[in-house]
Amino acid sequence: LSGLLPSSASEAVNPKEVSSGSETFTITITNTDSTSPLIVPQEFSLITINSDTTLGFSILGLKQATVNRDSTQQIIEGFGGANAQVFYAPMTSSAIQTAFDSVAGDIGLTIMRVSIPPDSTQFSQDVQGAKLAESFGAKVIATPWTPPAWMKTNDNLSGGSIDTSDFAAYAAHLKAFADTMASYGAPVYAVSVQNEPDASVGYQSCYWSPTDFLNFMKYYAPDAGVPVFMPESESFNHTFSDPTLNDSLACAHTAFVGGHIYGDANSRGDVS
């Protein structure tokens, strides 16, 4: 026995005729192509029906979503991939075309992430790849895995922390990179302050505290000359960005909040 409630939860489902005695049925109430408004399908088992039984069921209406195309709540700039020479050889021209071109058969990514070398003599290493990606309409963002060793507390490209007394020099370092890319015809859309400041790894890295980010973004980020994003926590840990976002001046200097989700379910619903 099956029935349909097309208009209200109080409408009865008429069972098949039972000549005598009683029988049990499974009753399914579901949608059809003409059901309006839609309901939440539900099944009722072991329903006893006698020859004079009248059935009534209460079911829930399906929640309806209203999409207002004229109201923008959040903008998705795009989806992308990395061409970071910290770990890998640079992408070939063919690979970049496959990844960033939008013709049939290609992927059509719209953001390329490149690395900012600690050695300024290597600033132009990603120019050709960035220019090609941009020719397909992609934006280029750039991330440092570490400041130059002389700006760090351990004088090493791996581990350690940034020396806060070198914040001005570090902002100039980021600006010099952005200026170099622009001078070669491959301008960057934005630069990051640090890749994974909370990661303990053996390769190029640097620890930043939440207070470090606050002070750098508040007083030095504009000197980078291009939009700046932070903190790129390895697990999207909000404690690294909250102090900056809660300070009106530092927040004004923050173009984007970046984060990684390694091992983090990000089920909170408040990740943005």
Side-chain angles (χ1 to χ4, degrees), residues 3-13 27-32 35-44 55-63:
L4 174 65
L5 294 182
S7 58
S8 72
S10 61
E11 184 172 341
V13 177
I27 298 177
T28 301
I29 303 176
T30 188
N31 296 292
T32 69
T35 303
S36 180
L38 296 176
I39 62 169
V40 178
Q42 193 167 350
E43 185 174 278
F44 302 87
L55 300 179
F57 297 95
S58 177
I59 58 176
L60 298 175
L62 194 64
K63 293 181 178 180

PDB file of all heavy atoms in Angstrom, residues 3-13 27-32 35-44 55-63:
ATOM      1  N   GLY A   3       0.817   5.642  -0.606  1.00  0.00           N
ATOM      2  CA  GLY A   3      -0.039   6.800  -0.750  1.00  0.00           C
ATOM      3  C   GLY A   3       0.797   8.054  -0.876  1.00  0.00           C
ATOM      4  O   GLY A   3       2.003   8.044  -0.672  1.00  0.00           O
ATOM      5  N   LEU A   4       0.164   9.174  -1.142  1.00  0.00           N
ATOM      6  CA  LEU A   4       0.878  10.432  -1.347  1.00  0.00           C
ATOM      7  C   LEU A   4       0.092  11.563  -0.705  1.00  0.00           C
ATOM      8  O   LEU A   4      -1.130  11.639  -0.854  1.00  0.00           O
ATOM      9  CB  LEU A   4       1.029  10.701  -2.850  1.00  0.00           C
ATOM     10  CG  LEU A   4       1.633  12.047  -3.238  1.00  0.00           C
ATOM     11  CD1 LEU A   4       3.070  12.106  -2.754  1.00  0.00           C
ATOM     12  CD2 LEU A   4       1.563  12.243  -4.730  1.00  0.00           C
ATOM     13  N   LEU A   5       0.809  12.402   0.048  1.00  0.00           N
ATOM     14  CA  LEU A   5       0.179  13.597   0.609  1.00  0.00           C
ATOM     15  C   LEU A   5       0.666  14.801  -0.180  1.00  0.00           C
ATOM     16  O   LEU A   5       1.707  15.361   0.115  1.00  0.00           O
ATOM     17  CB  LEU A   5       0.545  13.754   2.090  1.00  0.00           C
ATOM     18  CG  LEU A   5       0.009  12.676   3.033  1.00  0.00           C
ATOM     19  CD1 LEU A   5       0.422  13.001   4.449  1.00  0.00           C
ATOM     20  CD2 LEU A   5      -1.501  12.588   2.951  1.00  0.00           C
ATOM     21  N   PRO A   6      -0.081  15.229  -1.197  1.00  0.00           N
ATOM     22  CA  PRO A   6       0.421  16.296  -2.058  1.00  0.00           C
ATOM     23  C   PRO A   6       0.242  17.695  -1.511  1.00  0.00           C
ATOM     24  O   PRO A   6       0.878  18.613  -1.979  1.00  0.00           O
ATOM     25  CB  PRO A   6      -0.412  16.119  -3.334  1.00  0.00           C
ATOM     26  CG  PRO A   6      -1.707  15.544  -2.844  1.00  0.00           C
ATOM     27  CD  PRO A   6      -1.345  14.661  -1.675  1.00  0.00           C
ATOM     28  N   SER A   7      -0.614  17.881  -0.504  1.00  0.00           N
ATOM     29  CA  SER A   7      -0.890  19.257  -0.112  1.00  0.00           C
ATOM     30  C   SER A   7      -0.744  19.537   1.367  1.00  0.00           C
ATOM     31  O   SER A   7      -0.296  20.605   1.746  1.00  0.00           O
ATOM     32  CB  SER A   7      -2.309  19.642  -0.559  1.00  0.00           C
ATOM     33  OG  SER A   7      -3.249  18.758   0.023  1.00  0.00           O
ATOM     34  N   SER A   8      -1.105  18.622   2.257  1.00  0.00           N
ATOM     35  CA  SER A   8      -1.024  18.930   3.680  1.00  0.00           C
ATOM     36  C   SER A   8      -0.754  17.676   4.487  1.00  0.00           C
ATOM     37  O   SER A   8      -0.998  16.555   4.041  1.00  0.00           O
ATOM     38  CB  SER A   8      -2.327  19.577   4.164  1.00  0.00           C
ATOM     39  OG  SER A   8      -3.349  18.614   4.215  1.00  0.00           O
ATOM     40  N   ALA A   9      -0.232  17.882   5.719  1.00  0.00           N
ATOM     41  CA  ALA A   9       0.121  16.760   6.572  1.00  0.00           C
ATOM     42  C   ALA A   9      -1.100  16.074   7.158  1.00  0.00           C
ATOM     43  O   ALA A   9      -0.994  14.987   7.701  1.00  0.00           O
ATOM     44  CB  ALA A   9       1.021  17.241   7.702  1.00  0.00           C
ATOM     45  N   SER A  10      -2.270  16.678   7.066  1.00  0.00           N
ATOM     46  CA  SER A  10      -3.455  16.100   7.692  1.00  0.00           C
ATOM     47  C   SER A  10      -4.286  15.275   6.730  1.00  0.00           C
ATOM     48  O   SER A  10      -5.252  14.642   7.118  1.00  0.00           O
ATOM     49  CB  SER A  10      -4.333  17.222   8.276  1.00  0.00           C
ATOM     50  OG  SER A  10      -4.759  18.096   7.238  1.00  0.00           O
ATOM     51  N   GLU A  11      -3.946  15.262   5.461  1.00  0.00           N
ATOM     52  CA  GLU A  11      -4.733  14.511   4.487  1.00  0.00           C
ATOM     53  C   GLU A  11      -4.547  13.014   4.698  1.00  0.00           C
ATOM     54  O   GLU A  11      -3.446  12.509   4.869  1.00  0.00           O
ATOM     55  CB  GLU A  11      -4.303  14.894   3.072  1.00  0.00           C
ATOM     56  CG  GLU A  11      -5.155  14.214   1.986  1.00  0.00           C
ATOM     57  CD  GLU A  11      -4.841  14.754   0.616  1.00  0.00           C
ATOM     58  OE1 GLU A  11      -4.266  15.848   0.544  1.00  0.00           O
ATOM     59  OE2 GLU A  11      -5.161  14.077  -0.370  1.00  0.00           O
ATOM     60  N   ALA A  12      -5.608  12.269   4.705  1.00  0.00           N
ATOM     61  CA  ALA A  12      -5.551  10.833   4.971  1.00  0.00           C
ATOM     62  C   ALA A  12      -5.133  10.070   3.733  1.00  0.00           C
ATOM     63  O   ALA A  12      -5.394  10.478   2.602  1.00  0.00           O
ATOM     64  CB  ALA A  12      -6.901  10.330   5.465  1.00  0.00           C
ATOM     65  N   VAL A  13      -4.479   8.920   3.953  1.00  0.00           N
ATOM     66  CA  VAL A  13      -4.141   8.005   2.867  1.00  0.00           C
ATOM     67  C   VAL A  13      -5.178   6.895   2.873  1.00  0.00           C
ATOM     68  O   VAL A  13      -5.372   6.223   3.890  1.00  0.00           O
ATOM     69  CB  VAL A  13      -2.733   7.413   3.071  1.00  0.00           C
ATOM     70  CG1 VAL A  13      -2.426   6.409   1.985  1.00  0.00           C
ATOM     71  CG2 VAL A  13      -1.710   8.523   3.063  1.00  0.00           C
ATOM     72  N   ILE A  27       3.434   1.341   4.858  1.00  0.00           N
ATOM     73  CA  ILE A  27       2.906   2.462   4.091  1.00  0.00           C
ATOM     74  C   ILE A  27       4.044   3.452   3.821  1.00  0.00           C
ATOM     75  O   ILE A  27       4.725   3.889   4.746  1.00  0.00           O
ATOM     76  CB  ILE A  27       1.771   3.156   4.849  1.00  0.00           C
ATOM     77  CG1 ILE A  27       0.610   2.175   5.051  1.00  0.00           C
ATOM     78  CG2 ILE A  27       1.310   4.413   4.112  1.00  0.00           C
ATOM     79  CD1 ILE A  27      -0.542   2.745   5.845  1.00  0.00           C
ATOM     80  N   THR A  28       4.254   3.748   2.580  1.00  0.00           N
ATOM     81  CA  THR A  28       5.288   4.696   2.174  1.00  0.00           C
ATOM     82  C   THR A  28       4.636   5.939   1.601  1.00  0.00           C
ATOM     83  O   THR A  28       3.794   5.853   0.711  1.00  0.00           O
ATOM     84  CB  THR A  28       6.223   4.073   1.111  1.00  0.00           C
ATOM     85  OG1 THR A  28       6.837   2.911   1.646  1.00  0.00           O
ATOM     86  CG2 THR A  28       7.307   5.071   0.701  1.00  0.00           C
ATOM     87  N   ILE A  29       5.043   7.082   2.139  1.00  0.00           N
ATOM     88  CA  ILE A  29       4.555   8.365   1.634  1.00  0.00           C
ATOM     89  C   ILE A  29       5.758   9.084   1.026  1.00  0.00           C
ATOM     90  O   ILE A  29       6.747   9.337   1.703  1.00  0.00           O
ATOM     91  CB  ILE A  29       3.932   9.210   2.747  1.00  0.00           C
ATOM     92  CG1 ILE A  29       2.784   8.435   3.418  1.00  0.00           C
ATOM     93  CG2 ILE A  29       3.410  10.529   2.196  1.00  0.00           C
ATOM     94  CD1 ILE A  29       2.174   9.159   4.594  1.00  0.00           C
ATOM     95  N   THR A  30       5.685   9.387  -0.254  1.00  0.00           N
ATOM     96  CA  THR A  30       6.837   9.947  -0.948  1.00  0.00           C
ATOM     97  C   THR A  30       6.398  10.968  -1.981  1.00  0.00           C
ATOM     98  O   THR A  30       5.196  11.216  -2.166  1.00  0.00           O
ATOM     99  CB  THR A  30       7.645   8.818  -1.621  1.00  0.00           C
ATOM    100  OG1 THR A  30       8.868   9.359  -2.137  1.00  0.00           O
ATOM    101  CG2 THR A  30       6.863   8.165  -2.746  1.00  0.00           C
ATOM    102  N   ASN A  31       7.355  11.570  -2.638  1.00  0.00           N
ATOM    103  CA  ASN A  31       7.066  12.573  -3.665  1.00  0.00           C
ATOM    104  C   ASN A  31       6.913  11.933  -5.030  1.00  0.00           C
ATOM    105  O   ASN A  31       7.491  10.867  -5.310  1.00  0.00           O
ATOM    106  CB  ASN A  31       8.209  13.596  -3.731  1.00  0.00           C
ATOM    107  CG  ASN A  31       8.352  14.406  -2.462  1.00  0.00           C
ATOM    108  OD1 ASN A  31       7.495  15.204  -2.132  1.00  0.00           O
ATOM    109  ND2 ASN A  31       9.433  14.185  -1.725  1.00  0.00           N
ATOM    110  N   THR A  32       6.168  12.579  -5.887  1.00  0.00           N
ATOM    111  CA  THR A  32       6.144  12.241  -7.302  1.00  0.00           C
ATOM    112  C   THR A  32       6.574  13.478  -8.079  1.00  0.00           C
ATOM    113  O   THR A  32       6.858  14.528  -7.501  1.00  0.00           O
ATOM    114  CB  THR A  32       4.733  11.815  -7.758  1.00  0.00           C
ATOM    115  OG1 THR A  32       3.866  12.947  -7.721  1.00  0.00           O
ATOM    116  CG2 THR A  32       4.180  10.710  -6.860  1.00  0.00           C
ATOM    117  N   THR A  35       4.344  16.469  -7.109  1.00  0.00           N
ATOM    118  CA  THR A  35       4.126  16.846  -5.717  1.00  0.00           C
ATOM    119  C   THR A  35       4.559  18.287  -5.458  1.00  0.00           C
ATOM    120  O   THR A  35       5.665  18.687  -5.799  1.00  0.00           O
ATOM    121  CB  THR A  35       4.919  15.937  -4.763  1.00  0.00           C
ATOM    122  OG1 THR A  35       4.539  14.589  -4.992  1.00  0.00           O
ATOM    123  CG2 THR A  35       4.628  16.290  -3.311  1.00  0.00           C
ATOM    124  N   SER A  36       3.678  19.062  -4.853  1.00  0.00           N
ATOM    125  CA  SER A  36       4.014  20.436  -4.503  1.00  0.00           C
ATOM    126  C   SER A  36       3.111  20.877  -3.351  1.00  0.00           C
ATOM    127  O   SER A  36       1.892  20.757  -3.438  1.00  0.00           O
ATOM    128  CB  SER A  36       3.812  21.362  -5.695  1.00  0.00           C
ATOM    129  OG  SER A  36       4.136  22.693  -5.358  1.00  0.00           O
ATOM    130  N   PRO A  37       3.688  21.361  -2.254  1.00  0.00           N
ATOM    131  CA  PRO A  37       5.135  21.448  -1.992  1.00  0.00           C
ATOM    132  C   PRO A  37       5.716  20.083  -1.681  1.00  0.00           C
ATOM    133  O   PRO A  37       4.983  19.148  -1.323  1.00  0.00           O
ATOM    134  CB  PRO A  37       5.196  22.369  -0.778  1.00  0.00           C
ATOM    135  CG  PRO A  37       3.898  22.116  -0.066  1.00  0.00           C
ATOM    136  CD  PRO A  37       2.882  21.890  -1.141  1.00  0.00           C
ATOM    137  N   LEU A  38       7.023  19.944  -1.801  1.00  0.00           N
ATOM    138  CA  LEU A  38       7.678  18.668  -1.555  1.00  0.00           C
ATOM    139  C   LEU A  38       7.612  18.299  -0.076  1.00  0.00           C
ATOM    140  O   LEU A  38       7.551  19.163   0.802  1.00  0.00           O
ATOM    141  CB  LEU A  38       9.132  18.731  -2.006  1.00  0.00           C
ATOM    142  CG  LEU A  38       9.364  18.935  -3.507  1.00  0.00           C
ATOM    143  CD1 LEU A  38      10.862  19.079  -3.785  1.00  0.00           C
ATOM    144  CD2 LEU A  38       8.787  17.784  -4.309  1.00  0.00           C
ATOM    145  N   ILE A  39       7.611  16.998   0.186  1.00  0.00           N
ATOM    146  CA  ILE A  39       7.582  16.499   1.559  1.00  0.00           C
ATOM    147  C   ILE A  39       8.837  15.693   1.848  1.00  0.00           C
ATOM    148  O   ILE A  39       9.596  15.340   0.933  1.00  0.00           O
ATOM    149  CB  ILE A  39       6.350  15.608   1.796  1.00  0.00           C
ATOM    150  CG1 ILE A  39       6.422  14.373   0.878  1.00  0.00           C
ATOM    151  CG2 ILE A  39       5.060  16.383   1.582  1.00  0.00           C
ATOM    152  CD1 ILE A  39       5.433  13.305   1.199  1.00  0.00           C
ATOM    153  N   VAL A  40       9.070  15.417   3.128  1.00  0.00           N
ATOM    154  CA  VAL A  40      10.156  14.522   3.525  1.00  0.00           C
ATOM    155  C   VAL A  40       9.611  13.100   3.454  1.00  0.00           C
ATOM    156  O   VAL A  40       8.694  12.753   4.209  1.00  0.00           O
ATOM    157  CB  VAL A  40      10.647  14.830   4.947  1.00  0.00           C
ATOM    158  CG1 VAL A  40      11.739  13.852   5.352  1.00  0.00           C
ATOM    159  CG2 VAL A  40      11.141  16.263   5.052  1.00  0.00           C
ATOM    160  N   PRO A  41      10.092  12.258   2.540  1.00  0.00           N
ATOM    161  CA  PRO A  41       9.565  10.893   2.426  1.00  0.00           C
ATOM    162  C   PRO A  41       9.663  10.152   3.754  1.00  0.00           C
ATOM    163  O   PRO A  41      10.630  10.292   4.496  1.00  0.00           O
ATOM    164  CB  PRO A  41      10.458  10.268   1.355  1.00  0.00           C
ATOM    165  CG  PRO A  41      10.969  11.422   0.564  1.00  0.00           C
ATOM    166  CD  PRO A  41      11.155  12.523   1.565  1.00  0.00           C
ATOM    167  N   GLN A  42       8.655   9.340   4.039  1.00  0.00           N
ATOM    168  CA  GLN A  42       8.634   8.606   5.291  1.00  0.00           C
ATOM    169  C   GLN A  42       7.926   7.272   5.098  1.00  0.00           C
ATOM    170  O   GLN A  42       6.993   7.162   4.299  1.00  0.00           O
ATOM    171  CB  GLN A  42       7.945   9.418   6.384  1.00  0.00           C
ATOM    172  CG  GLN A  42       8.149   8.865   7.780  1.00  0.00           C
ATOM    173  CD  GLN A  42       7.722   9.867   8.849  1.00  0.00           C
ATOM    174  OE1 GLN A  42       7.445  11.027   8.550  1.00  0.00           O
ATOM    175  NE2 GLN A  42       7.662   9.415  10.089  1.00  0.00           N
ATOM    176  N   GLU A  43       8.392   6.274   5.817  1.00  0.00           N
ATOM    177  CA  GLU A  43       7.813   4.936   5.736  1.00  0.00           C
ATOM    178  C   GLU A  43       7.294   4.527   7.105  1.00  0.00           C
ATOM    179  O   GLU A  43       7.960   4.719   8.128  1.00  0.00           O
ATOM    180  CB  GLU A  43       8.855   3.934   5.239  1.00  0.00           C
ATOM    181  CG  GLU A  43       8.305   2.531   5.010  1.00  0.00           C
ATOM    182  CD  GLU A  43       9.343   1.603   4.387  1.00  0.00           C
ATOM    183  OE1 GLU A  43       9.508   1.662   3.163  1.00  0.00           O
ATOM    184  OE2 GLU A  43       9.988   0.852   5.151  1.00  0.00           O
ATOM    185  N   PHE A  44       6.092   3.954   7.134  1.00  0.00           N
ATOM    186  CA  PHE A  44       5.462   3.498   8.369  1.00  0.00           C
ATOM    187  C   PHE A  44       5.269   1.988   8.256  1.00  0.00           C
ATOM    188  O   PHE A  44       4.609   1.502   7.332  1.00  0.00           O
ATOM    189  CB  PHE A  44       4.113   4.187   8.580  1.00  0.00           C
ATOM    190  CG  PHE A  44       4.211   5.692   8.625  1.00  0.00           C
ATOM    191  CD1 PHE A  44       4.158   6.443   7.455  1.00  0.00           C
ATOM    192  CD2 PHE A  44       4.362   6.354   9.831  1.00  0.00           C
ATOM    193  CE1 PHE A  44       4.246   7.820   7.494  1.00  0.00           C
ATOM    194  CE2 PHE A  44       4.452   7.735   9.878  1.00  0.00           C
ATOM    195  CZ  PHE A  44       4.402   8.474   8.717  1.00  0.00           C
ATOM    196  N   LEU A  55      -7.043   5.954   8.020  1.00  0.00           N
ATOM    197  CA  LEU A  55      -5.661   6.288   8.351  1.00  0.00           C
ATOM    198  C   LEU A  55      -5.401   7.781   8.217  1.00  0.00           C
ATOM    199  O   LEU A  55      -5.939   8.441   7.323  1.00  0.00           O
ATOM    200  CB  LEU A  55      -4.693   5.541   7.428  1.00  0.00           C
ATOM    201  CG  LEU A  55      -4.759   4.008   7.463  1.00  0.00           C
ATOM    202  CD1 LEU A  55      -3.757   3.440   6.471  1.00  0.00           C
ATOM    203  CD2 LEU A  55      -4.487   3.493   8.858  1.00  0.00           C
ATOM    204  N   GLY A  56      -4.550   8.287   9.104  1.00  0.00           N
ATOM    205  CA  GLY A  56      -4.087   9.670   8.997  1.00  0.00           C
ATOM    206  C   GLY A  56      -2.628   9.733   9.420  1.00  0.00           C
ATOM    207  O   GLY A  56      -2.240   9.112  10.412  1.00  0.00           O
ATOM    208  N   PHE A  57      -1.815  10.437   8.689  1.00  0.00           N
ATOM    209  CA  PHE A  57      -0.389  10.523   8.985  1.00  0.00           C
ATOM    210  C   PHE A  57       0.049  11.978   9.016  1.00  0.00           C
ATOM    211  O   PHE A  57      -0.456  12.814   8.266  1.00  0.00           O
ATOM    212  CB  PHE A  57       0.432   9.773   7.930  1.00  0.00           C
ATOM    213  CG  PHE A  57       0.146   8.303   7.875  1.00  0.00           C
ATOM    214  CD1 PHE A  57      -0.778   7.801   6.967  1.00  0.00           C
ATOM    215  CD2 PHE A  57       0.785   7.426   8.735  1.00  0.00           C
ATOM    216  CE1 PHE A  57      -1.060   6.457   6.913  1.00  0.00           C
ATOM    217  CE2 PHE A  57       0.519   6.076   8.686  1.00  0.00           C
ATOM    218  CZ  PHE A  57      -0.414   5.580   7.779  1.00  0.00           C
ATOM    219  N   SER A  58       1.011  12.244   9.871  1.00  0.00           N
ATOM    220  CA  SER A  58       1.606  13.571   9.952  1.00  0.00           C
ATOM    221  C   SER A  58       3.037  13.490   9.434  1.00  0.00           C
ATOM    222  O   SER A  58       3.843  12.688   9.925  1.00  0.00           O
ATOM    223  CB  SER A  58       1.598  14.077  11.399  1.00  0.00           C
ATOM    224  OG  SER A  58       2.226  15.337  11.485  1.00  0.00           O
ATOM    225  N   ILE A  59       3.359  14.264   8.438  1.00  0.00           N
ATOM    226  CA  ILE A  59       4.701  14.251   7.848  1.00  0.00           C
ATOM    227  C   ILE A  59       5.211  15.677   7.729  1.00  0.00           C
ATOM    228  O   ILE A  59       4.456  16.640   7.833  1.00  0.00           O
ATOM    229  CB  ILE A  59       4.711  13.573   6.462  1.00  0.00           C
ATOM    230  CG1 ILE A  59       3.737  14.291   5.536  1.00  0.00           C
ATOM    231  CG2 ILE A  59       4.411  12.092   6.563  1.00  0.00           C
ATOM    232  CD1 ILE A  59       3.755  13.763   4.132  1.00  0.00           C
ATOM    233  N   LEU A  60       6.511  15.797   7.521  1.00  0.00           N
ATOM    234  CA  LEU A  60       7.141  17.108   7.453  1.00  0.00           C
ATOM    235  C   LEU A  60       7.266  17.591   6.012  1.00  0.00           C
ATOM    236  O   LEU A  60       7.524  16.804   5.094  1.00  0.00           O
ATOM    237  CB  LEU A  60       8.538  17.062   8.087  1.00  0.00           C
ATOM    238  CG  LEU A  60       8.587  16.700   9.572  1.00  0.00           C
ATOM    239  CD1 LEU A  60      10.048  16.564  10.024  1.00  0.00           C
ATOM    240  CD2 LEU A  60       7.870  17.744  10.409  1.00  0.00           C
ATOM    241  N   GLY A  61       7.090  18.886   5.835  1.00  0.00           N
ATOM    242  CA  GLY A  61       7.352  19.463   4.536  1.00  0.00           C
ATOM    243  C   GLY A  61       8.848  19.645   4.331  1.00  0.00           C
ATOM    244  O   GLY A  61       9.601  19.861   5.285  1.00  0.00           O
ATOM    245  N   LEU A  62       9.323  19.504   3.107  1.00  0.00           N
ATOM    246  CA  LEU A  62      10.740  19.665   2.799  1.00  0.00           C
ATOM    247  C   LEU A  62      11.086  21.140   2.813  1.00  0.00           C
ATOM    248  O   LEU A  62      10.400  21.962   2.194  1.00  0.00           O
ATOM    249  CB  LEU A  62      11.048  19.064   1.429  1.00  0.00           C
ATOM    250  CG  LEU A  62      12.521  18.847   1.074  1.00  0.00           C
ATOM    251  CD1 LEU A  62      13.144  17.825   2.016  1.00  0.00           C
ATOM    252  CD2 LEU A  62      12.663  18.405  -0.374  1.00  0.00           C
ATOM    253  N   LYS A  63      12.144  21.490   3.536  1.00  0.00           N
ATOM    254  CA  LYS A  63      12.549  22.885   3.606  1.00  0.00           C
ATOM    255  C   LYS A  63      12.957  23.390   2.225  1.00  0.00           C
ATOM    256  O   LYS A  63      13.646  22.707   1.486  1.00  0.00           O
ATOM    257  CB  LYS A  63      13.698  23.062   4.593  1.00  0.00           C
ATOM    258  CG  LYS A  63      13.313  22.796   6.042  1.00  0.00           C
ATOM    259  CD  LYS A  63      14.487  23.021   6.977  1.00  0.00           C
ATOM    260  CE  LYS A  63      14.081  22.791   8.425  1.00  0.00           C
ATOM    261  NZ  LYS A  63      15.231  23.001   9.353  1.00  0.00           N
TER     262      LYS A  63
END
